[in-house]
Amino acid sequence: MKRVLILGGTGDASALAAKALTLPGVEVRVSLAGRTPQPLAIPGIVRIGGFGGVAGLTTYLRDEAIDVLIDATHPFAAQISLNAAAATDELGIPRLMLVRPAWESVPGDQWIEVDNMAAAADALEGQAKRVFLTIGRQQLASFARLHEIWFLMRLINQPEPEAVIPKGLLLFAQGPFDLTAERQLLIQHEIDTIVTKNSGGSATNAKIIAARELGIKVVMVRRPPIPPGDQVRDVEEALVWLRGMGSGA
Ligand code: NAP
């Protein structure tokens, strides 16, 4: 029996957990950071909360006798991926990263690619009036200094009470989002620019297509680097890798 820890917080992690559970000889555990007050139902044994850095994760992996780790966290969850690499290296545990492909621009797109949220805010200054901000809730403060811009901010959860919020409207919704609704949203709010992380995947890419159609600018925040190691692009490839680990399937 192989005990697999899936680091989650993404739709891919949940889908992988559901499929990995059906493999003979595999026991699945999923770990969530605990950011979402009411996470969607996830198959398998779920644990919630940080481990306490590399040392805490190393202890957890050893104490729970984890055989294999699959890092299926969001491409912008850089810290936990580094921690996972360090802990598995120390213990000699095989580790796979499920990294969905990044979105790519096509000719005609008006993308401005930047490395972080501060640079995204700089790119808006004097260039945008009505901005659709789809970056989650943790880095909204980077845009609060832009008093001349109105922001439509789409979030899954309420910001922390002490959070500094830019001027505009908060909209609570969770993907997947469809093209018709995204197009309508951009038109209704007279959006001239979108700011987004390059999350990749299909659940939230309709806004990118709608922007393309409507000639709307996109400030695209590039992904942070990931640690070296085995990588796959999707759930099916991750299952192939897992079988190769000798799950017995
Ligand atoms: P992060 O900056 O990489 O991690 C910060 C700390 O949160 C980690 O050091 C770890 O705490 C804890 N943590 C993160 N993911 C965890 C997991 N799956 N299980 C247990 N602890 C975890 O991560 P983040 O950007 O805050 O993202 C947090 C979670 O939200 C991740 O699971 C990620 O997949 C999901 N998510 C993130 C984004 C995004 O844009 N960043 C978007 C969608 C979903 P300790 O050091 O105490 O272990």
Side-chain angles (χ1 to χ4, degrees):
M1 182 66 79
K2 288 256 180 223
R3 191 171 284 177
V4 181
L5 176 66
I6 300 174
L7 298 177
T10 60
D12 282 341
S14 305
L16 176 60
K19 292 198 171 173
L21 272 173
T22 67
L23 297 179
V26 171
E27 184 190 307
V28 176
R29 304 224 172 156
V30 179
S31 176
L32 302 177
R35 303 272 191 276
T36 309
Q38 289 164 325
L40 300 174
I42 294 172
I45 300 170
V46 179
R47 67 161 300 286
I48 297 181
F51 296 97
V54 176
L57 179 55
T58 306
T59 302
Y60 176 89
L61 295 173
R62 191 189 291 119
D63 289 354
E64 298 298 319
I66 301 295
D67 296 301
V68 175
L69 182 146
I70 301 184
D71 175 0
T73 56
H74 189 272
F76 281 75
Q79 188 59 54
I80 189 70
S81 293
L82 288 173
N83 293 358
T88 52
D89 285 355
E90 186 173 332
L91 297 173
I93 291 176
R95 172 179 54 91
L96 176 73
M97 290 173 286
L98 199 173
V99 186
R100 56 194 187 215
W103 295 318
E104 289 180 8
S105 60
V106 302
D109 280 348
Q110 300 182 57
W111 284 21
I112 302 161
E113 293 194 75
V114 297
D115 283 328
N116 51 50
M117 289 303 159
D122 290 345
L124 295 178
E125 205 160 8
Q127 304 296 318
K129 289 194 163 52
R130 296 180 67 83
V131 172
F132 185 25
L133 207 47
T134 60
I135 58 162
R137 61 181 169 159
Q138 290 186 47
Q139 290 168 288
L140 292 173
S142 303
F143 300 88
R145 68 181 175 81
L146 300 170
H147 302 293
E148 306 304 314
I149 298 177
W150 181 89
F151 290 93
L152 176 65
M153 294 161 274
R154 185 162 66 196
L155 312 172
I156 297 175
N157 300 298
Q158 285 283 350
E160 300 298 327
E162 69 278 9
V164 180
I165 311 285
K167 182 184 74 179
L169 180 67
L170 297 177
L171 180 65
F172 295 96
Q174 184 160 14
F177 300 104
D178 76 55
L179 181 57
T180 308
E182 293 292 68
R183 192 190 292 120
Q184 182 54 32
L185 192 70
L186 296 176
I187 293 169
Q188 179 193 343
H189 292 284
E190 301 177 63
I191 298 299
D192 57 52
T193 310
I194 296 176
V195 179
T196 180
K197 296 173 179 175
N198 195 333
S199 300
S202 57
T204 57
N205 77 333
K207 66 188 172 212
I208 307 298
I209 299 169
R212 184 172 295 151
E213 288 178 3
L214 297 169
I216 288 174
K217 276 182 279 186
V218 176
V219 177
M220 184 65 73
V221 183
R222 292 190 191 94
R223 294 176 174 193
I226 57 171
D230 287 359
Q231 266 187 55
V232 293
R233 297 158 57 97
D234 59 31
V235 169
E236 292 309 319
E237 288 181 8
L239 289 167
V240 171
W241 183 90
L242 195 51
R243 286 195 190 95
M245 282 292 119
S247 66

Short mmCIF file of all heavy atoms in Angstrom, two decimals, residues 173-196:
data_model
loop_
_atom_site.label_atom_id
_atom_site.label_comp_id
_atom_site.label_asym_id
_atom_site.label_seq_id
_atom_site.Cartn_x
_atom_site.Cartn_y
_atom_site.Cartn_z
N ALA A 173 -17.63 35.35 -6.21
CA ALA A 173 -18.00 34.27 -7.12
C ALA A 173 -16.82 33.30 -7.23
O ALA A 173 -15.68 33.68 -7.02
CB ALA A 173 -18.32 34.83 -8.51
N GLN A 174 -17.15 32.05 -7.54
CA GLN A 174 -16.11 31.04 -7.72
C GLN A 174 -16.28 30.38 -9.07
O GLN A 174 -17.41 30.06 -9.46
CB GLN A 174 -16.22 29.99 -6.60
CG GLN A 174 -15.11 28.96 -6.66
CD GLN A 174 -14.91 28.22 -5.33
OE1 GLN A 174 -15.77 28.29 -4.46
NE2 GLN A 174 -13.81 27.53 -5.20
N GLY A 175 -15.16 30.19 -9.79
CA GLY A 175 -15.22 29.58 -11.11
C GLY A 175 -15.69 28.15 -11.05
O GLY A 175 -15.92 27.62 -9.96
N PRO A 176 -15.87 27.48 -12.18
CA PRO A 176 -15.55 28.00 -13.52
C PRO A 176 -16.53 29.07 -14.00
O PRO A 176 -17.69 29.08 -13.61
CB PRO A 176 -15.63 26.75 -14.39
CG PRO A 176 -16.49 25.78 -13.65
CD PRO A 176 -16.34 26.09 -12.20
N PHE A 177 -16.00 29.96 -14.86
CA PHE A 177 -16.78 31.06 -15.43
C PHE A 177 -16.91 30.83 -16.93
O PHE A 177 -15.95 30.44 -17.58
CB PHE A 177 -16.07 32.39 -15.17
CG PHE A 177 -15.89 32.67 -13.71
CD1 PHE A 177 -14.65 32.53 -13.12
CD2 PHE A 177 -16.96 33.07 -12.92
CE1 PHE A 177 -14.46 32.78 -11.77
CE2 PHE A 177 -16.79 33.31 -11.56
CZ PHE A 177 -15.54 33.17 -10.99
N ASP A 178 -18.11 31.13 -17.46
CA ASP A 178 -18.27 30.89 -18.90
C ASP A 178 -18.12 32.18 -19.70
O ASP A 178 -18.24 33.29 -19.16
CB ASP A 178 -19.56 30.12 -19.22
CG ASP A 178 -20.79 30.97 -19.14
OD1 ASP A 178 -20.83 32.02 -19.82
OD2 ASP A 178 -21.71 30.62 -18.39
N LEU A 179 -17.86 31.99 -20.98
CA LEU A 179 -17.49 33.11 -21.84
C LEU A 179 -18.60 34.15 -21.95
O LEU A 179 -18.34 35.36 -21.88
CB LEU A 179 -17.10 32.57 -23.23
CG LEU A 179 -16.67 33.58 -24.26
CD1 LEU A 179 -15.50 34.43 -23.77
CD2 LEU A 179 -16.30 32.89 -25.57
N THR A 180 -19.84 33.70 -22.09
CA THR A 180 -20.94 34.65 -22.25
C THR A 180 -21.05 35.56 -21.03
O THR A 180 -21.18 36.78 -21.17
CB THR A 180 -22.27 33.88 -22.44
OG1 THR A 180 -22.09 32.94 -23.49
CG2 THR A 180 -23.41 34.80 -22.76
N ALA A 181 -20.97 34.97 -19.86
CA ALA A 181 -21.10 35.76 -18.63
C ALA A 181 -19.90 36.69 -18.45
O ALA A 181 -20.06 37.84 -18.02
CB ALA A 181 -21.23 34.82 -17.44
N GLU A 182 -18.71 36.21 -18.79
CA GLU A 182 -17.51 37.05 -18.64
C GLU A 182 -17.57 38.24 -19.60
O GLU A 182 -17.24 39.37 -19.23
CB GLU A 182 -16.24 36.23 -18.91
CG GLU A 182 -15.97 35.14 -17.89
CD GLU A 182 -15.59 35.66 -16.51
OE1 GLU A 182 -16.46 36.25 -15.85
OE2 GLU A 182 -14.45 35.44 -16.09
N ARG A 183 -17.99 37.97 -20.82
CA ARG A 183 -18.11 39.05 -21.81
C ARG A 183 -19.10 40.11 -21.30
O ARG A 183 -18.83 41.31 -21.34
CB ARG A 183 -18.60 38.45 -23.13
CG ARG A 183 -18.49 39.36 -24.32
CD ARG A 183 -19.20 38.78 -25.53
NE ARG A 183 -18.61 37.59 -26.11
CZ ARG A 183 -19.21 36.42 -26.22
NH1 ARG A 183 -20.44 36.23 -25.77
NH2 ARG A 183 -18.61 35.41 -26.79
N GLN A 184 -20.23 39.62 -20.79
CA GLN A 184 -21.27 40.52 -20.29
C GLN A 184 -20.77 41.37 -19.11
O GLN A 184 -21.04 42.57 -19.02
CB GLN A 184 -22.50 39.68 -19.87
CG GLN A 184 -23.68 40.47 -19.39
CD GLN A 184 -24.11 41.54 -20.39
OE1 GLN A 184 -23.97 41.35 -21.61
NE2 GLN A 184 -24.58 42.68 -19.88
N LEU A 185 -20.02 40.73 -18.24
CA LEU A 185 -19.48 41.42 -17.06
C LEU A 185 -18.55 42.56 -17.48
O LEU A 185 -18.62 43.68 -16.95
CB LEU A 185 -18.72 40.42 -16.19
CG LEU A 185 -18.31 40.86 -14.80
CD1 LEU A 185 -19.53 40.99 -13.89
CD2 LEU A 185 -17.33 39.85 -14.19
N LEU A 186 -17.69 42.28 -18.45
CA LEU A 186 -16.73 43.29 -18.92
C LEU A 186 -17.46 44.47 -19.58
O LEU A 186 -17.10 45.64 -19.38
CB LEU A 186 -15.74 42.67 -19.91
CG LEU A 186 -14.82 41.57 -19.34
CD1 LEU A 186 -13.96 40.96 -20.44
CD2 LEU A 186 -13.95 42.12 -18.23
N ILE A 187 -18.50 44.14 -20.33
CA ILE A 187 -19.26 45.20 -21.02
C ILE A 187 -20.05 46.01 -19.99
O ILE A 187 -20.01 47.25 -20.00
CB ILE A 187 -20.20 44.58 -22.08
CG1 ILE A 187 -19.38 43.95 -23.21
CG2 ILE A 187 -21.17 45.63 -22.63
CD1 ILE A 187 -20.19 43.09 -24.17
N GLN A 188 -20.74 45.31 -19.10
CA GLN A 188 -21.61 45.97 -18.11
C GLN A 188 -20.83 46.98 -17.26
O GLN A 188 -21.32 48.06 -16.97
CB GLN A 188 -22.22 44.89 -17.21
CG GLN A 188 -23.13 45.41 -16.12
CD GLN A 188 -23.43 44.29 -15.10
OE1 GLN A 188 -23.22 43.11 -15.37
NE2 GLN A 188 -23.90 44.69 -13.95
N HIS A 189 -19.61 46.63 -16.90
CA HIS A 189 -18.83 47.50 -16.02
C HIS A 189 -17.84 48.37 -16.79
O HIS A 189 -16.99 49.02 -16.18
CB HIS A 189 -18.11 46.67 -14.96
CG HIS A 189 -19.06 46.04 -13.97
ND1 HIS A 189 -19.66 46.74 -12.97
CD2 HIS A 189 -19.53 44.78 -13.88
CE1 HIS A 189 -20.46 45.94 -12.27
NE2 HIS A 189 -20.40 44.73 -12.81
N GLU A 190 -17.96 48.35 -18.11
CA GLU A 190 -17.11 49.21 -18.97
C GLU A 190 -15.63 49.07 -18.64
O GLU A 190 -14.90 50.04 -18.49
CB GLU A 190 -17.55 50.67 -18.87
CG GLU A 190 -19.00 50.87 -19.29
CD GLU A 190 -19.44 52.31 -19.09
OE1 GLU A 190 -18.86 53.18 -19.76
OE2 GLU A 190 -20.35 52.53 -18.29
N ILE A 191 -15.22 47.80 -18.51
CA ILE A 191 -13.84 47.51 -18.12
C ILE A 191 -12.89 47.82 -19.29
O ILE A 191 -13.16 47.42 -20.43
CB ILE A 191 -13.72 46.02 -17.72
CG1 ILE A 191 -14.59 45.71 -16.51
CG2 ILE A 191 -12.26 45.60 -17.51
CD1 ILE A 191 -14.26 46.45 -15.24
N ASP A 192 -11.78 48.50 -18.99
CA ASP A 192 -10.79 48.74 -20.05
C ASP A 192 -9.54 47.88 -19.87
O ASP A 192 -8.75 47.73 -20.81
CB ASP A 192 -10.43 50.23 -20.16
CG ASP A 192 -9.92 50.83 -18.87
OD1 ASP A 192 -8.98 50.27 -18.28
OD2 ASP A 192 -10.47 51.88 -18.45
N THR A 193 -9.33 47.32 -18.66
CA THR A 193 -8.12 46.53 -18.41
C THR A 193 -8.44 45.43 -17.38
O THR A 193 -9.17 45.69 -16.43
CB THR A 193 -6.99 47.43 -17.83
OG1 THR A 193 -6.85 48.59 -18.66
CG2 THR A 193 -5.67 46.69 -17.76
N ILE A 194 -7.85 44.26 -17.60
CA ILE A 194 -7.96 43.17 -16.63
C ILE A 194 -6.58 42.95 -16.01
O ILE A 194 -5.57 43.01 -16.72
CB ILE A 194 -8.41 41.86 -17.32
CG1 ILE A 194 -9.81 42.02 -17.90
CG2 ILE A 194 -8.35 40.68 -16.36
CD1 ILE A 194 -10.29 40.80 -18.68
N VAL A 195 -6.56 42.70 -14.70
CA VAL A 195 -5.31 42.26 -14.06
C VAL A 195 -5.53 40.84 -13.56
O VAL A 195 -6.50 40.58 -12.84
CB VAL A 195 -4.90 43.16 -12.88
CG1 VAL A 195 -3.61 42.64 -12.25
CG2 VAL A 195 -4.75 44.61 -13.32
N THR A 196 -4.65 39.95 -13.96
CA THR A 196 -4.80 38.55 -13.55
C THR A 196 -3.44 37.90 -13.35
O THR A 196 -2.45 38.30 -13.96
CB THR A 196 -5.60 37.76 -14.62
OG1 THR A 196 -5.73 36.39 -14.19
CG2 THR A 196 -4.93 37.77 -15.97
#
